[in-house]
Amino acid sequence: MVNLSYFSKLDSLWAKILLFFTLVFFSACSSSNLNFGSTPSINPNITPPSNIRTLSDVNTIAFEWNLIQNPEIAGYYIYRKKPSEQSFSKITTLDSRFITHYADNKLESNTEYFYQFASFDAQKNISQFSAPISAKTQFIEAINYIEAISNYPRKVKIIWNPHQDTRVIGYVIEKKKTNGQWSELANINSRLLVEYLDTGLEDNTSYEYRVFAYNANKTYSLPSKSVKATTKPKPTLISNFTATTNVPKQIMLKWDLHPNPEVTQYTLFRSNFESSFFSKLATLPNSTNSYQDAIKDDGKQYYYKITATDKDGIESLEVGPIMGMTLGIPSTPVITYAQIEGNSAVLRWMPQDDRATEYIVYKKDSRFFGETLRYNKVLTPEFIDREVTPGEKYYYRVSAVDANGLESKQTQEIMLFLPAQ
């Protein structure tokens, strides 16, 4: 006789095996490859939480669900993954079925997450998994007003409104580099401090900025709009800068007064060379448009540059170099005639410079042991020396003098001899 109770037990066993594999297959499909590390046992008599509600914040997603009355449930597992991830990972274990709330903290802002729940019994067997639940964290709104102020001397001022969210604790200011990349410029640890001064900048240069707010979790807001500002330009170039070349013992420098009322001073530079080694010559007030460079040497040449500086210390580009020179000495006359006529020595010469207004004749004889006599204010290009002694040699040189008293170099020495009688 066949034992029917045996077949009854066998049918019940196969039913449980079939149910186990069905639940495993269903859970695997619904959980998108849950990552357990090892396969748990399934308890078909317990169920996951139902009617799960979510509430999001910037860095937190909170959950609430209905209390499950089944006393076989010992607690809950919660699993999470991002859309880009292949499998869920367990994030927490709740060790009581009476817990009906959970908050997942320290999440990324403005990010979507998927969650699944499962109940477990005292032997850590689990229920089937809940359907995936999608929730997205919130974000901190961008600052609603920002401005960058132009025309400051070598600096830009950035101002913005305090963020309306009182959870904000500070701001990060970013500045765009020349390669187009943003980099952090400053960190301000106060929600109510809404100004920053970017200093040490180039003149007449544009810069671009944006600001982020952040909370205690260092979560950034959306970026503010980007704003640009341009630093104050240099004063324009000085015009009509000139230097004299025909004034004795000095070089006169002149220029037009700068039209910008903010210009406070001019700076002159001088060098012996056209392209280098300039040093500061003088600093002059803005009401001055000339300078007298006193120089003791005749025909001395210098090169000059000039700049204008405004009230903020911004200096214009240089004007120059220009060349200036003191008036040179007249050209040396050329002696064309030197003879003894009767008892006199006669000299004549050809002027070589229209500037010559008079001449000087230098005379030296052997009797005076080389002592030189000087005859000034010779007004014509001729000199007759009647003070000669027979048997003596006389030596003569001539120079030209202009209206400024500048004397040329002397001619080569000429010797005349009056023979003894």
Side-chain angles (χ1 to χ4, degrees):
M1 178 177 291
V2 177
N3 188 342
L4 295 179
S5 64
Y6 172 79
F7 287 103
S8 175
K9 292 179 181 179
L10 187 62
D11 288 342
S12 176
L13 177 62
W14 278 108
K16 289 181 180 181
I17 293 173
L18 180 60
L19 176 60
F20 170 77
F21 282 107
T22 300
L23 289 174
V24 169
F25 176 76
F26 174 79
S27 299
C29 293
S30 64
S31 64
S32 302
N33 301 320
L34 283 165
N35 182 15
F36 294 105
S38 60
T39 303
S41 299
I42 302 297
N43 182 345
N45 298 320
I46 59 176
T47 60
S50 61
N51 193 23
I52 301 171
R53 285 87 66 191
T54 64
L55 182 64
S56 297
D57 200 345
V58 174
N59 302 110
T60 303
I61 297 176
F63 300 90
E64 181 183 51
W65 57 90
N66 294 344
L67 176 66
I68 302 177
Q69 300 297 332
N70 186 349
E72 194 174 347
I73 292 176
Y76 311 102
Y77 296 135
I78 303 177
Y79 304 85
R80 181 187 70 205
K81 81 177 189 71
K82 291 182 179 179
S84 59
E85 296 172 344
Q86 294 297 317
S87 60
F88 284 84
S89 297
K90 185 169 70 173
I91 60 171
T92 191
T93 299
L94 305 179
D95 290 323
S96 173
R97 73 178 178 89
F98 294 96
I99 297 174
T100 58
H101 294 83
Y102 179 73
D104 189 13
N105 299 308
K106 298 183 179 180
L107 301 176
E108 297 177 23
S109 66
N110 197 29
T111 302
E112 184 180 23
Y113 295 90
F114 290 101
Y115 295 87
Q116 284 192 304
F117 286 67
S119 302
F120 63 86
D121 60 20
Q123 289 74 41
K124 303 300 182 181
N125 300 312
I126 67 170
S127 70
Q128 62 177 314
F129 295 91
S130 68
I133 301 164
S134 173
K136 187 175 183 180
T137 52
Q138 297 180 12
F139 54 85
I140 303 174
E141 295 282 353
I143 294 166
N144 58 21
Y145 169 78
I146 180 173
E147 181 181 358
I149 301 175
S150 294
N151 208 41
Y152 278 13
R154 295 170 184 166
K155 56 183 68 69
V156 169
K157 183 176 180 178
I158 308 111
I159 58 174
W160 58 93
N161 278 349
H163 202 282
Q164 61 273 20
D165 190 338
T166 56
R167 293 171 297 180
V168 165
I169 64 169
Y171 306 95
V172 168
I173 303 168
E174 288 191 342
K175 181 178 180 179
K176 182 173 282 189
K177 296 182 178 179
T178 54
N179 62 5
Q181 299 296 316
W182 291 98
S183 63
E184 183 173 324
L185 174 63
N187 191 318
I188 297 176
N189 296 314
S190 172
R191 184 177 73 90
L192 300 181
L193 181 53
V194 289
E195 173 185 295
Y196 183 77
L197 209 58
D198 188 15
T199 59
L201 306 179
E202 297 293 329
D203 297 322
N204 197 30
T205 304
S206 295
Y207 298 89
E208 187 171 357
Y209 304 88
R210 66 182 182 182
V211 176
F212 294 83
Y214 63 85
N215 63 13
N217 293 322
K218 297 297 182 182
T219 298
Y220 283 18
S221 70
L222 298 178
S224 70
K225 70 175 184 178
S226 63
V227 290
K228 291 183 178 181
T230 303
T231 52
K232 185 179 182 180
K234 296 178 181 292
T236 57
L237 296 176
I238 293 172
S239 58
N240 295 324
F241 183 41
T242 61
T244 59
T245 58
N246 58 355
V247 179
K249 306 298 183 181
Q250 64 180 341
I251 297 174
M252 291 296 299
L253 303 169
K254 292 186 177 181
W255 58 90
D256 288 347
L257 291 176
H258 204 285
N260 186 346
E262 292 191 351
V263 166
T264 59
Q265 66 181 37
Y266 305 103
T267 305
L268 289 168
F269 303 88
R270 186 180 75 178
S271 175
N272 288 309
F273 306 96
E274 184 174 7
S275 59
S276 58
F277 300 109
F278 280 84
S279 59
K280 184 183 292 187
L281 175 63
T283 300
L284 305 169
N286 63 347
S287 58
T288 302
N289 67 337
S290 65
Y291 181 77
Q292 176 182 319
D293 189 11
I295 301 167
K296 64 180 181 180
D297 298 323
D298 301 316
K300 180 64 176 180
Q301 178 177 288
Y302 284 110
Y303 293 91
Y304 298 88
K305 293 181 180 181
I306 189 171
T307 62
T309 304
D310 71 10
K311 65 180 183 179
D312 295 308
I314 298 178
E315 191 172 23
S316 72
L317 296 176
E318 297 171 337
V319 173
I322 62 171
M323 189 272 287
M325 186 172 61
T326 57
L327 182 64
I329 61 176
S331 299
T332 304
V334 177
I335 296 177
T336 57
Y337 182 84
Q339 296 290 335
I340 295 294
E341 295 182 1
N343 292 322
S344 299
V346 179
L347 297 174
R348 297 187 184 97
W349 54 87
M350 180 70 68
Q352 300 297 304
D353 197 319
D354 293 339
R355 290 165 47 197
T357 59
E358 61 183 79
Y359 303 93
I360 300 174
V361 178
Y362 296 90
K363 174 186 174 182
K364 182 174 69 173
D365 62 45
S366 57
R367 287 188 309 165
F368 298 116
F369 303 102
E371 180 182 356
T372 301
L373 298 177
R374 174 180 170 132
Y375 298 88
N376 296 322
K377 296 189 180 299
V378 178
L379 302 180
T380 63
E382 181 184 57
F383 178 75
I384 299 174
D385 184 11
R386 295 182 175 87
E387 297 178 359
V388 293
T389 303
E392 293 288 337
K393 292 180 180 179
Y394 296 94
Y395 303 88
Y396 297 92
R397 289 173 285 123
V398 179
S399 65
V401 179
D402 71 2
N404 301 297
L406 298 181
E407 181 182 1
S408 73
K409 292 182 179 180
Q410 300 171 11
T411 62
Q412 289 187 347
E413 198 169 58
I414 298 295
M415 188 274 289
L416 293 178
F417 175 70
L418 178 61
Q421 297 297 327

